[in-house]
Amino acid sequence: MNEVVCPHCRKAFTIDEAGYADILKQVCDSEFESQLHERLEIAEREKQSAIELAKSQASSELQAAAATKDAQIQDLMAKLDAVDVAQKLAVTEALSSVEKERDEIRNELERLKRERHAASELAEAKRLAELRDIAAQKDAEIQGLTAKLSAREVEQNLAISTAVGAVEKERDDLKNHLAKAELEKQLAEKSLKDKYETQIKDRDEAIERLRDLKARMSTKMVGETLEQHCEIEFNRIRATAFPRAYFEKDNDARGGSKGDYIFRDKDENDTEIVSIMFEMKNELDATATKKRNEDFLKELDKDRTEKGCEYAILVSLLESDNELYNSGIVDVSHRYPKMYVIRPQFFIPIITLLRNAAMGALEFKTELAIVKAQNIDITNFETELESFKAGFARNYDLASRQFETAIDEIDKSMNHLQKTKEALLKSANNLRLANNKAQDVTIKRLTKNNPTMAAEFENVVKDLQSREEP
């Protein structure tokens, strides 16, 4: 039984476990609905803010574009007015000059006519012949002036027509340019409007997709989505940027844990350029217990060491409000050597940076590999030399001991032969003594003190002597 206190009347009452669980579920559901509603309101506010910002930006850009176009239009109108004024002024000046010359010629004609009339009246009778000559001369002058006036009028009309044509052409060009500028202004306004409407539509669709995706994804799906994103981004440029690279999931969990992906790149001589252990971490927005990036650094360093990788990188969407991780690539090598924490958008750039940095040390790695190979050759030679010396020493020791054994056996044989020699010498001495004794043996000595044998030997000798005689 659980005791519950009413928050309004402060009266305590007891309920059973089932009722308490039901109330707790209602509270949790209400809290969840409240948080969901709050997040949806925040998203809606962000959407409205983005829309207002986009509208304000579009309005500002449209106003700026309109102001620019208006200024251009005003400038063109001012140039057109100036051209009209210049045209009118040129026409006025041309007409004034023609009218002035025409008036001068008319005045000159009137003056000549008056002079002619006066001359004819004053000297008509007296100088008729001379007056005729003068009249003829004056008529010629009048005709010349008339022709000159006609030519001048034609020339002035041609100049006026040329000036008016040039001004009208410039005016028409300005009008066409003005119409083109107005059309460009309308097109720019329409393009900006369509652009921001498309951006707003795409943002709304992205918000809806994200909202629907987050509503359907489990925690495992969230992590796998980040891994798939990174794998797809890498495979897009694998053939061109990393043709000899190895980028696969880490499936070796013999040490009790494993990372997500291992990246290794080698040159054409099969010398390793760089190696990276990757770990991808993500979580749902509605997760109650939020994790931190630091919670995974120790395990990532352990996996990097066990798998023999040079660098370790945590690709994380955790701590989304942390400005440190949102600012770019974060170096955490003060905690663990050669380790970085990045957002997914820096996945390809950091691989490129580390690979390019390692390429600079590739020559030294190659030289180091050659030196190591030479050291290995020297070590192998020294090992073989030591093995030869050890084998030779062992064989020498065996041969020396066998030689000493043979010498001992020879000494023993010589001692035995010496003893045999001495025995033989003693036997020879005994045989010599026996021979000497045998040489000293005579029948006389044998029969000394033995008359019987002496008599027998005498008989034998006599018998032999008798046989030898004929």
Side-chain angles (χ1 to χ4, degrees):
M1 301 297 287
N2 294 282
E3 183 174 317
V4 179
V5 178
C6 178
H8 299 287
C9 62
R10 301 298 178 182
K11 182 178 179 180
F13 59 92
T14 58
I15 59 176
D16 57 6
E17 295 294 336
Y20 183 76
D22 185 57
I23 293 175
L24 183 61
K25 181 178 182 300
Q26 293 178 8
V27 173
C28 292
D29 292 341
S30 176
E31 182 65 23
F32 177 77
E33 292 294 334
S34 177
Q35 291 182 359
L36 179 61
H37 183 69
E38 182 180 353
R39 287 182 178 274
L40 290 176
E41 288 182 350
I42 292 173
E44 187 65 27
R45 287 198 298 271
E46 291 180 353
K47 171 186 172 182
Q48 293 298 329
S49 299
I51 292 173
E52 294 297 330
L53 179 60
K55 288 182 177 180
S56 61
Q57 291 178 350
S59 177
S60 300
E61 293 182 2
L62 290 174
Q63 290 178 359
T68 303
K69 297 300 180 180
D70 291 339
Q72 294 178 353
I73 292 171
Q74 293 296 328
D75 187 32
L76 293 174
M77 291 296 293
K79 289 182 179 180
L80 185 61
D81 293 339
V83 169
D84 291 337
V85 171
Q87 178 184 0
K88 292 178 180 179
L89 181 62
V91 172
T92 302
E93 290 178 354
L95 291 175
S96 176
S97 176
V98 171
E99 290 176 352
K100 182 178 179 181
E101 289 183 1
R102 185 194 60 191
D103 293 340
E104 289 178 355
I105 292 172
R106 285 179 179 177
N107 293 332
E108 183 70 16
L109 288 174
E110 292 294 332
R111 184 180 65 80
L112 290 175
K113 287 180 180 180
R114 287 195 300 272
E115 289 179 356
R116 180 183 176 185
H117 182 70
S120 62
E121 287 181 353
L122 292 175
E124 181 179 0
K126 197 174 168 182
R127 299 175 60 182
L128 182 61
E130 184 179 357
L131 184 59
R132 288 178 179 175
D133 294 335
I134 294 172
Q137 184 179 0
K138 294 298 181 181
D139 289 335
E141 289 180 357
I142 290 171
Q143 291 177 359
L145 290 174
T146 304
K148 183 178 180 181
L149 178 61
S150 300
R152 183 63 57 86
E153 288 180 352
V154 171
E155 183 179 354
Q156 291 296 327
N157 291 330
L158 180 62
I160 292 171
S161 299
T162 303
V164 170
V167 171
E168 288 179 348
K169 181 180 180 182
E170 185 175 359
R171 181 196 62 192
D172 294 337
D173 292 339
L174 290 175
K175 286 182 178 180
N176 293 332
H177 189 67
L178 180 62
K180 184 178 179 181
E182 186 68 24
L183 179 60
E184 289 179 353
K185 174 184 176 183
Q186 294 175 359
L187 291 176
E189 291 176 353
K190 186 176 183 301
S191 175
L192 288 173
K193 183 178 179 181
D194 294 341
K195 173 184 175 182
Y196 285 106
E197 287 180 353
T198 304
Q199 290 181 352
I200 293 172
K201 182 179 178 181
D202 292 342
R203 181 180 177 85
D204 292 340
E205 292 177 354
I207 290 173
E208 291 299 327
R209 287 197 303 271
L210 181 61
R211 185 180 299 168
D212 181 64
L213 179 63
K214 289 187 175 181
R216 292 186 290 106
M217 283 198 308
S218 63
T219 303
K220 183 174 184 297
M221 289 176 64
V222 171
E224 291 178 350
T225 301
L226 180 57
E227 293 178 11
Q228 292 172 1
H229 166 75
C230 294
E231 185 173 2
I232 291 171
E233 289 298 315
F234 181 82
N235 288 332
R236 283 179 179 174
I237 63 171
R238 180 197 287 266
T240 55
F242 307 101
R244 289 182 291 273
Y246 169 89
F247 182 74
E248 301 294 339
K249 288 187 68 67
D250 181 16
N251 296 319
D252 185 4
R254 290 177 294 178
S257 64
K258 62 184 181 67
D260 286 332
Y261 282 89
I262 294 178
F263 170 84
R264 297 183 188 276
D265 197 8
K266 296 182 179 181
D267 65 356
E268 59 274 7
N269 298 321
D270 205 32
T271 302
E272 184 172 287
I273 301 173
V274 66
S275 58
I276 307 172
M277 169 64 71
F278 283 100
E279 182 76 16
M280 285 75 172
K281 290 299 176 184
N282 193 5
E283 65 181 358
L284 291 170
D285 292 338
T287 303
T289 304
K290 299 292 184 180
K291 296 184 179 296
R292 301 187 307 162
N293 291 319
E294 293 184 0
D295 298 338
F296 303 96
L297 300 183
K298 182 178 180 180
E299 193 71 20
L300 177 58
D301 183 66
K302 176 185 174 184
D303 294 334
R304 176 187 70 85
T305 304
E306 289 180 350
K307 306 304 165 55
C309 295
E310 184 178 1
Y311 294 94
I313 296 177
L314 177 63
V315 183
S316 172
L317 287 172
L318 307 180
E319 301 183 61
S320 58
D321 297 332
N322 193 324
E323 291 299 325
L324 174 63
Y325 299 112
N326 292 336
S327 60
I329 299 173
V330 180
D331 185 356
V332 292
S333 56
H334 61 282
R335 297 287 304 278
Y336 299 96
K338 294 187 177 182
M339 183 176 293
Y340 300 90
V341 179
I342 63 171
R343 295 303 189 198
Q345 61 267 30
F346 297 104
F347 175 69
I348 296 299
I350 196 170
I351 294 179
T352 306
L353 288 174
L354 294 180
R355 202 279 295 270
N356 292 341
M359 287 292 291
L362 180 61
E363 181 179 354
F364 300 100
K365 287 185 177 181
T366 304
E367 294 178 357
L368 180 61
I370 295 173
V371 171
K372 285 183 178 179
Q374 293 174 349
N375 291 336
I376 290 173
D377 293 339
I378 294 172
T379 303
N380 292 336
F381 176 76
E382 292 178 348
T383 302
E384 292 178 0
L385 180 61
E386 292 297 328
S387 300
F388 173 76
K389 290 167 65 177
F392 185 83
R394 185 178 68 256
N395 294 333
Y396 174 79
D397 184 58
L398 292 174
S400 177
R401 282 184 289 172
Q402 292 174 357
F403 186 73
E404 290 177 355
T405 303
I407 291 175
D408 291 339
E409 293 295 330
I410 291 172
D411 289 339
K412 290 178 182 180
S413 299
M414 290 179 66
N415 291 333
H416 181 68
L417 291 172
Q418 185 66 29
K419 290 179 181 180
T420 305
K421 177 183 178 183
E422 291 176 354
L424 292 173
L425 290 175
K426 289 180 181 181
S427 299
N429 188 42
N430 290 329
L431 289 172
R432 182 182 61 79
L433 293 175
N435 183 51
N436 290 337
K437 289 180 179 180
Q439 295 297 325
D440 292 339
V441 173
T442 61
I443 295 173
K444 184 176 181 181
R445 287 184 178 182
L446 290 174
T447 60
K448 184 181 180 179
N449 299 323
N450 191 351
T452 303
M453 290 302 296
E456 291 290 335
F457 275 110
E458 287 182 359
N459 291 329
V460 172
V461 169
K462 288 178 176 180
D463 185 44
L464 290 174
Q465 289 177 352
S466 61
R467 290 179 180 179
E468 291 178 356
E469 291 179 355

